[in-house]
Amino acid sequence: QKEVEQDPGPLSVPEGAIVSLNCTYSNSAFQYFMWYRQYSRKGPELLMYTYSSGNKEDGRFTAQVDKSSKYISLFIRDSQPSDSATYLCAMGYNTDKLIFGTGTRLQVFP
Amino acid sequence: DAGVTQSPTHLIKTRGQQVTLRCSPKSGHDTVSWYQQALGQGPQFIFQYYEEEERQRGNFPDRFSGHQFPNYSSELNVNALLLGDSALYLCASSLDTSSYNEQFFGPGTRLTVL
């Protein structure tokens, strides 16, 4: 069993939809939870990070961490074609060694 | 600020050869981590360098080695290349603090082993 599980998709939604991306994990010691966005032929860029449990909002993006269920989510409101990318969840005991999910490919069509 | 830069962009090698990849961290950063991203997979942590020493290592064989220079730039060396080493190699830099250290990723080096 992988430490971090993420549905690879692809997920295809119309412009303006609310997108929900999720990851589950097995290691209860993880304290840091991140979401990265990766465009084709580019390196990952950090979207959101959360320490321990709770919610965090930044513009159209909301990250949620439920440590009791070992489940994290990223919500994207009013999705745009420019949001089309691969979304990677990542987590760790600290922020040095990150464990990534496989990534979910998202396509937002006009 | 140029951000994290990596060279070369692409590289083609044959099995058994050796390869060296290079990374320059973001200005002001002192820590460099290397990740391997196979096609359709998430990045996997190889190792991290801080103060010219390997600080943490992932589950990679000794064929993978690295170095950090006094100017904080870093190299990743892979010996005896295997077909399975074909991947995107990502370098990430951060500033070592007592709390959250955001990792900034470079664009990667795409290695193809034939």
Side-chain angles (χ1 to χ4, degrees):
Chain A
Q1 183 191 5
K2 288 184 177 179
E3 280 191 288
V4 179
E5 300 275 2
Q6 184 175 11
D7 187 334
L11 184 61
S12 186
V13 301
E15 183 175 354
I18 296 175
V19 176
S20 173
L21 303 166
N22 311 293
C23 288
T24 59
Y25 63 95
S26 57
N27 194 328
S28 58
F30 287 154
Q31 293 277 41
Y32 292 89
F33 304 90
M34 292 89 164
W35 286 96
Y36 283 84
R37 178 174 61 196
Q38 186 173 27
Y39 291 113
S40 181
R41 303 184 190 282
K42 302 281 188 184
E45 59 174 327
L46 183 69
L47 281 175
M48 307 276 289
Y49 106 87
T50 309
Y51 174 71
S52 194
S53 277
N55 295 356
K56 194 170 187 178
E57 189 172 320
D58 184 2
R60 296 186 295 113
F61 299 91
T62 300
Q64 290 184 350
V65 175
D66 181 350
K67 291 191 75 178
S68 61
S69 303
K70 298 192 185 70
Y71 188 88
I72 71 170
S73 301
L74 177 71
F75 297 95
I76 307 174
R77 289 182 297 281
D78 188 25
S79 56
Q80 302 296 310
S82 59
D83 293 329
S84 298
T86 296
Y87 289 79
L88 296 153
C89 64
M91 51 197 78
Y93 318 104
N94 53 46
T95 54
D96 293 325
K97 178 182 175 181
L98 300 180
I99 312 298
F100 282 84
T102 53
T104 299
R105 193 155 57 91
L106 171 67
Q107 178 82 31
V108 181
F109 56 89
Chain B
D1 183 3
V4 180
T5 59
Q6 293 186 242
S7 63
T9 306
H10 296 92
L11 205 50
I12 298 175
K13 291 285 188 179
T14 56
R15 279 178 297 174
Q17 285 190 310
Q18 179 263 342
V19 69
T20 297
L21 311 181
R22 294 176 176 82
C23 171
S24 290
K26 186 176 166 66
S27 178
H29 285 183
D30 57 7
T31 305
V32 173
S33 303
W34 286 92
Y35 291 81
Q36 179 194 66
Q37 186 175 24
L39 197 62
Q41 301 295 316
Q44 278 197 285
F45 178 80
I46 302 174
F47 43 53
Q48 182 183 80
Y49 276 84
Y50 172 69
E51 292 188 341
E52 302 179 52
E53 298 283 334
E54 184 182 290
R55 180 159 69 176
Q56 289 196 70
R57 190 178 182 93
N59 190 23
F60 278 80
D62 292 344
R63 298 187 297 110
F64 290 77
S65 63
H67 189 78
Q68 185 179 35
F69 299 93
N71 66 353
Y72 307 118
S73 67
S74 178
E75 287 181 350
L76 164 66
N77 300 293
V78 187
N79 294 324
L81 285 167
L82 303 173
L83 294 179
D85 295 332
S86 295
L88 180 68
Y89 287 85
L90 294 162
C91 168
S93 74
S94 57
L95 176 63
D96 185 73
T97 69
S98 58
S99 59
Y100 174 65
N101 305 328
E102 180 180 345
Q103 295 198 27
F104 290 80
F105 283 84
T109 293
R110 185 160 299 282
L111 172 65
T112 301
V113 181
L114 302 176

